[in-house]
Amino acid sequence: MNQYQTRLVKPGSNEPVLHHGGHCPECKTTLLGLLRSLYGTVEVQKRFNIRSTPEGFANFEYLADLHEIFAALQQERGFRDFVRSATLPACDYFVPVPGFIVEFDESQHFTALRHLALSRYPLSLALGFDRERWINYCCCIRAKDNDPPYRDEQRAWYDTLRDFLPAALGLQPTVRLYAREYPWCKLNLANSEDVETFRRILSHRGKL
């Protein structure tokens, strides 16, 4: 067992099982390889030239929703100046064809502020993940990051923009994978069954 793994217990059993913690670099490497095996070209740390405030989404059908989420994050703990980047920070992965973002969410993303933002998403917004499931993760994990003090607001807002971005740019919905929902690095790129397992996981998020 390495430093990125923890022992859990299967429900209804005393048998311990190996599960990953939130920061396994091998999982990210494997995920990139799996995406490339299915789609070919995949861009890492893709940047989109769009402002990181609601004003960057002028004439956007969900502009009012973005303003509401932004204001709610500002008011929740009184941190109003958490946007410190002129443009949206890089996305984890981008698949140019057919055109969608993939975000690999580690545990620090599941905070009370992220819950606040997710709960205000319009139901008509297409997502490549289960919003209610992500809200439940926030309720269970309840991560906190106070370095800097406004970090949770900042992270929740940038994640929100990455979820709304596809609707503004005509892309497919952003796909989110939780780092601990599967031991990703155990999938073998050379094994067709493992690649098929990953394809099935994506299919539940509306891909393939």
Side-chain angles (χ1 to χ4, degrees):
M1 183 168 65
N2 65 36
Q3 61 179 316
Y4 303 105
Q5 297 172 321
T6 56
R7 289 220 177 255
L8 304 176
V9 176
K10 288 181 179 178
S13 169
N14 291 322
E15 179 187 352
V17 295
L18 205 61
H19 202 346
H20 277 57
H23 302 279
C24 174
E26 294 177 13
C27 282
K28 295 179 179 180
T29 299
T30 301
L31 178 61
L32 176 60
L34 289 164
L35 287 169
R36 285 175 170 162
S37 72
L38 293 174
Y39 295 101
T41 301
V42 178
E43 299 179 38
V44 180
Q45 293 294 294
K46 168 70 174 181
R47 288 185 174 273
F48 293 89
N49 187 25
I50 192 164
R51 290 171 61 188
S52 53
T53 59
E55 288 72 24
F57 290 77
N59 302 316
F60 180 41
E61 62 178 312
Y62 294 117
L63 180 58
D65 300 285
L66 283 177
H67 274 295
E68 179 187 345
I69 294 169
F70 190 66
L73 289 171
Q74 287 181 315
Q75 293 166 11
E76 183 69 12
R77 299 195 301 176
F79 297 117
R80 306 190 65 83
D81 299 321
F82 50 80
V83 175
R84 299 300 176 97
S85 174
T87 58
L88 178 64
C91 301
D92 289 341
Y93 308 101
F94 179 63
V95 181
V97 180
F100 65 92
I101 295 164
V102 179
E103 289 292 302
F104 190 65
D105 287 346
E106 297 170 333
S107 295
Q108 67 266 24
H109 288 260
F110 299 102
T111 64
L113 277 301
R114 179 65 168 142
H115 182 180
L116 181 152
L118 285 164
S119 67
R120 286 166 171 75
Y121 279 23
L123 295 181
S124 58
L125 179 67
L127 300 171
F129 62 98
D130 186 330
R131 184 178 71 108
E132 292 302 320
R133 185 178 177 189
W134 253 240
I135 287 175
N136 287 337
Y137 284 148
C138 292
C139 293
C140 293
I141 297 170
R142 302 175 68 181
K144 293 181 181 180
D145 185 350
N146 295 319
D147 185 18
Y150 53 80
R151 187 68 178 99
D152 287 346
E153 284 86 353
Q154 186 181 71
R155 183 175 280 126
W157 175 243
Y158 292 156
D159 279 345
T160 295
L161 291 183
R162 294 182 185 105
D163 291 339
F164 279 75
L165 183 67
L169 299 185
L171 300 172
Q172 294 189 7
T174 294
V175 169
R176 289 191 177 275
L177 303 170
Y178 174 33
R180 296 193 66 178
E181 70 178 287
Y182 198 91
W184 305 102
C185 67
K186 298 302 181 185
L187 293 172
N188 184 350
L189 294 171
N191 186 316
S192 60
E193 292 184 3
D194 284 359
V195 175
E196 174 62 18
T197 294
F198 183 65
R199 190 200 65 78
R200 287 197 301 270
I201 291 171
L202 289 182
S203 72
H204 290 306
R205 287 160 170 80
K207 302 302 173 189
L208 298 175

